Amino acid sequence: MNMTRALCSDSMAPIRDRLRYIHGLPIVHSASYVCGQPPKHRFQMGKFRGVFNRLVKDKVVQPRLQVLEPSQISKELAGMAHSKEYVDRFFRGETNADEQRRTGFKWTHGLCSRVRFECGGTLLAAMVCLERGLAASTGGGTHHAGPDYGSGYCLLNDLSITCSVLLSLGLVSKVLIVDLDVHQGDGTALMFHNNPAVFTFSMHCQKNFPFRKQASDLDI
């Protein structure tokens, strides 16, 4: 399903149609949440596949009954949260060496594809929530990416993109972001600073990355 077309047509029909075959808690997952990376890279990308496989093995998740495959986020939707200039350069692989060093990744086509699937997964999970009340994605949480930059293994901010899309389309009027990672959701806080439609809450360790914190609506 093309998410951009489905959303811009102001219709939830494609999602409702897919949900007819989903029973129990909807789980958004894609094998494309993982891409190739250099050996011994510090970011343990295999966790996305590993957690899903463990849940399947323990019979917590039944793929044929619960799993939905996301599509990649488009430039148009990513640009609702990030600057269009940054999105365009990231999609084309034109971020410079310093920008890439800040993210912890060297740009590759596979990395860009993975990020787009991950952001598409968070958006799909949110859309499913509007229909079912609850859903989960096995990827996402890229809360360090800011309006025009990536940081700390986060290239695009899936939470900010999802909130911006839902608000722009009038599908929601208020959003609460609860971030319980050990690191502050600094990119998300910055992107929604002084936006009354989005309340950002971050509970994190004080003395760690990012060393320069942003002001969430509530930080603990």
Side-chain angles (χ1 to χ4, degrees):
M1 176 182 63
N2 185 300
M3 185 64 72
T4 303
R5 188 181 302 116
L7 291 175
C8 294
S9 67
D10 193 29
S11 172
M12 291 283 288
I15 291 176
R16 292 192 188 105
D17 184 61
R18 294 178 70 183
L19 285 174
R20 288 191 303 156
Y21 307 99
I22 297 298
H23 302 278
L25 175 67
I27 304 293
V28 178
H29 175 76
S30 173
S32 297
Y33 285 174
V34 177
C35 70
Q37 58 184 149
K40 299 182 179 180
H41 194 282
R42 291 185 62 186
F43 185 74
Q44 300 298 311
M45 194 176 297
K47 63 187 177 183
F48 300 112
R49 180 185 295 126
V51 169
F52 178 76
N53 289 342
R54 172 57 65 177
L55 292 173
V56 172
K57 182 179 180 180
D58 291 348
K59 302 187 186 325
V60 176
V61 172
Q62 300 180 66
R64 289 189 298 174
L65 298 178
Q66 293 177 259
V67 174
L68 291 161
E69 285 269 351
S71 58
Q72 292 182 316
I73 206 74
S74 66
K75 282 186 181 181
E76 177 186 12
L77 297 184
M80 289 186 178
H82 294 276
S83 73
K84 290 180 173 54
E85 186 268 342
Y86 172 68
V87 170
D88 193 49
R89 287 194 303 113
F90 173 69
F91 274 48
R92 294 201 308 251
E94 296 178 354
T95 52
N96 61 43
D98 288 338
E99 290 175 303
Q100 293 181 37
R101 190 175 303 112
R102 182 177 184 179
T103 69
F105 290 118
K106 182 177 180 180
W107 190 94
T108 65
H109 289 286
L111 179 67
C112 181
S113 177
R114 186 201 89 79
V115 169
R116 293 180 61 194
F117 272 112
E118 188 173 43
C119 291
T122 300
L123 179 57
L124 176 58
M127 298 294 290
V128 171
C129 280
L130 295 178
E131 285 294 308
R132 287 287 185 88
L134 187 65
S137 177
T138 58
T142 49
H143 57 181
H144 296 310
D148 55 2
Y149 62 86
S151 178
Y153 306 130
C154 303
L155 290 307
L156 295 175
N157 193 314
D158 64 306
L159 300 167
S160 295
I161 291 171
T162 294
C163 289
S164 297
V165 170
L166 298 184
L167 288 166
S168 294
L169 296 177
L171 296 173
V172 298
S173 59
K174 295 280 187 179
V175 177
L176 167 65
I177 296 177
V178 178
D179 192 329
L180 303 178
D181 191 83
V182 69
H183 306 111
Q184 189 205 32
D186 58 319
T188 311
L190 177 63
M191 293 172 86
F192 292 116
H193 182 63
N194 289 331
N195 185 334
V198 180
F199 189 96
T200 55
F201 168 65
S202 180
M203 181 182 290
H204 52 268
C205 180
Q206 183 177 4
K207 297 182 179 180
N208 67 357
F209 183 88
F211 300 106
R212 180 180 178 182
K213 305 289 193 290
Q214 298 293 333
S216 306
D217 290 298
L218 178 60
D219 287 297
I220 296 179

